[in-house]
Amino acid sequence: MGKAFLKDKDFEQINLVDYKIYQINQHYSDDQFGKVLARLQKTDWIVLGTPAYWHDMSGYLKTLIERIGQDPELDTLAGKKLSVFIQGSNPADTIKPVTSIIKRFAQVAHMEYINIQQNFTQH
């Protein structure tokens, strides 16, 4: 879904499953949160994609959002565009609550939320 949306754009994909990002207040030397944050800081538009797991976003995405929200470098994302798409066999009941969380996260991080999910749910 993300690749279909971004097909004509130059983009870099980050798969959170490939990184060790620990929960808030866990401190381990192999934590890679800083690497992911540095990559996000280099872009103008962040498009988040998540499968619908038990009517919610993935744990990987939730952990990333929580960590960014607690990071002192949160302001380095200010002014960036932020979008999300939710994918699954029937994500209809997941779209509204996840989108609400992402919109609130965008407000806290002083980012601009751009709705792209609607374009995919109508097809």
Side-chain angles (χ1 to χ4, degrees):
M1 184 182 284
K3 287 180 181 178
F5 174 73
L6 298 168
K7 68 181 176 187
D8 298 329
K9 296 170 179 54
D10 183 30
F11 71 94
E12 179 182 1
Q13 181 173 327
I14 300 172
N15 297 314
L16 294 178
V17 71
D18 295 335
Y19 292 87
K20 289 184 179 180
I21 301 175
Y22 293 102
Q23 300 291 317
I24 292 174
N25 294 324
Q26 291 185 325
H27 305 283
Y28 297 100
S29 61
D30 61 342
D31 187 280
Q32 296 176 305
F33 170 73
K35 282 185 176 181
V36 173
L37 182 60
R39 289 174 72 183
L40 296 175
Q41 290 168 334
K42 292 179 182 177
T43 188
D44 296 325
W45 190 354
I46 300 167
V47 179
L48 304 170
T50 184
Y53 288 137
W54 287 99
H55 314 287
D56 204 352
M57 69 183 81
S58 72
Y60 292 107
L61 181 55
K62 181 94 165 73
T63 297
L64 179 67
I65 289 170
E66 289 171 348
R67 288 287 301 273
I68 291 172
Q70 296 296 313
D71 193 89
E73 294 188 45
L74 173 65
D75 288 340
T76 62
L77 299 177
K80 296 183 183 305
K81 295 177 185 174
L82 180 66
S83 299
V84 65
F85 63 88
I86 299 109
Q87 185 175 336
S89 59
N90 185 11
D93 62 342
T94 306
I95 292 171
K96 187 174 180 178
V98 170
T99 301
S100 178
I101 290 168
I102 300 301
K103 284 180 179 178
R104 179 67 184 134
F105 173 69
Q107 289 174 340
V108 169
H110 302 107
M111 300 171 77
E112 177 187 0
Y113 177 78
I114 307 290
N115 185 358
I116 61 171
Q117 183 69 32
Q118 188 173 9
N119 296 331
F120 288 102
T121 58
Q122 294 176 351
H123 296 294

